[in-house]
């Protein structure tokens, strides 16, 4: 059995028809079931060259832009995924979404104000090694260390993004671009 398709000016399908139960409009092209399946199984990655189904390979600049977008999203996810600090004497996980980062900055700034009492403490949300979240008191030195560890984690993610972006910029093939991946 055959099918029919309408293609845009670039050869990408815009509509498919099954003549066994649909009226095929003028201008539609007859294609085999295998060709129809090839289009359906690879949407957006195949086009019609006037005689056959052809693999569509986007320009390298398009692939680079898509890869950079994915890498940036991975970087943001890593930054917002939290970080570990041993400011309290053992590793604790600190949250790092934008509000969490602002709260940490405010706590660090408060810890630097003149005239703090020697026993000054500020509570900050973190999880212990067992994964139990709670607001734990931090001294000025502890909150500053937790804040510094957060900055270090952000900078490490940004450095990784910069290095991977540089790899994408010089990648000469689609395969080389695809090979650049974000790893945790």
């Amino acid at each position: 059995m055959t099918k029919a398709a309408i293609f845009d000016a670039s050869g990408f399908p815009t509509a498919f028809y099954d003549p066994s139960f649909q009226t095929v409009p003028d201008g539609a092209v007859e294609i085999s079931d295998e060709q129809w399946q090839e289009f359906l199984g690879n949407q957006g990655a195949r086009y019609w060259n006037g005689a056959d189904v052809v693999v569509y390979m986007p320009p390298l600049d398009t692939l680079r832009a898509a890869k950079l977008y994915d890498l940036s999203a991975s970087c943001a996810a890593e930054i917002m995924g939290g970080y570990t600090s041993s400011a309290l004497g053992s590793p604790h996980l600190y949250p790092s979404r934008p509000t969490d980062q602002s709260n940490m900055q405010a706590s660090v700034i408060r810890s630097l104000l003149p005239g703090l009492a020697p026993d000054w403490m500020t509570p900050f949300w973190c999880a212990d090694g067992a994964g139990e979240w709670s607001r734990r008191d931090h001294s000025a030195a502890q909150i500053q260390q937790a804040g510094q560890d957060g900055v270090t984690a952000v900078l490490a993610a940004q450095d990784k993004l910069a290095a991977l972006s540089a790899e994408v910029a010089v990648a000469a093939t689609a395969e080389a671009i695809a090979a650049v991946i974000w790893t945790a």
Side-chain angles (χ1 to χ4, degrees):
M1 178 179 285
T2 61
K3 304 283 190 247
I6 300 225
F7 299 97
D8 67 15
S10 298
F12 290 98
T14 60
F16 293 107
Y17 300 91
D18 186 333
S20 67
F21 68 91
Q22 292 175 303
T23 303
V24 177
D26 290 340
V29 175
E30 186 175 306
I31 60 174
S32 69
D33 280 339
E34 292 78 22
Q35 292 168 325
W36 177 66
Q37 288 295 334
E38 182 74 12
F39 278 120
L40 291 182
N42 299 284
Q43 294 183 24
R46 301 291 186 267
Y47 69 95
W48 184 253
N49 69 358
D52 206 356
V53 179
V54 179
V55 173
Y56 170 71
M57 183 53 65
L60 288 181
D61 286 344
T62 301
L63 295 174
R64 279 190 188 95
K67 179 58 78 170
L68 291 173
Y69 178 85
D70 290 345
L71 291 172
S72 292
S74 295
C75 180
E78 185 164 309
I79 288 171
M80 291 188 295
Y83 64 92
T84 301
S85 174
S86 293
L88 293 176
S90 63
H92 283 73
L93 178 63
Y94 287 77
S96 57
R97 293 173 303 221
T99 300
D100 303 317
Q101 291 181 44
S102 293
N103 290 339
M104 178 59 76
Q105 290 169 356
S107 293
V108 169
I109 289 169
R110 281 187 61 221
S111 77
L112 297 170
L113 294 175
L116 286 183
D119 61 345
W120 180 89
M121 300 293 271
T122 188
F124 203 87
W125 191 251
C126 57
D128 62 17
E132 174 139 350
W133 286 91
S134 100
R135 287 172 39 100
R136 292 177 170 82
D137 281 339
H138 291 67
S139 68
Q142 289 170 329
I143 200 67
Q144 290 168 19
Q145 184 60 55
Q148 183 60 43
D149 291 341
V151 170
T152 299
V154 168
L155 292 174
Q158 291 173 338
D159 288 345
K160 184 182 348 179
L161 176 60
L164 293 174
S165 296
E167 286 182 41
V168 171
V170 298
T173 65
E175 294 78 17
I177 292 170
V180 178
I181 57 169
W182 187 277
T183 55

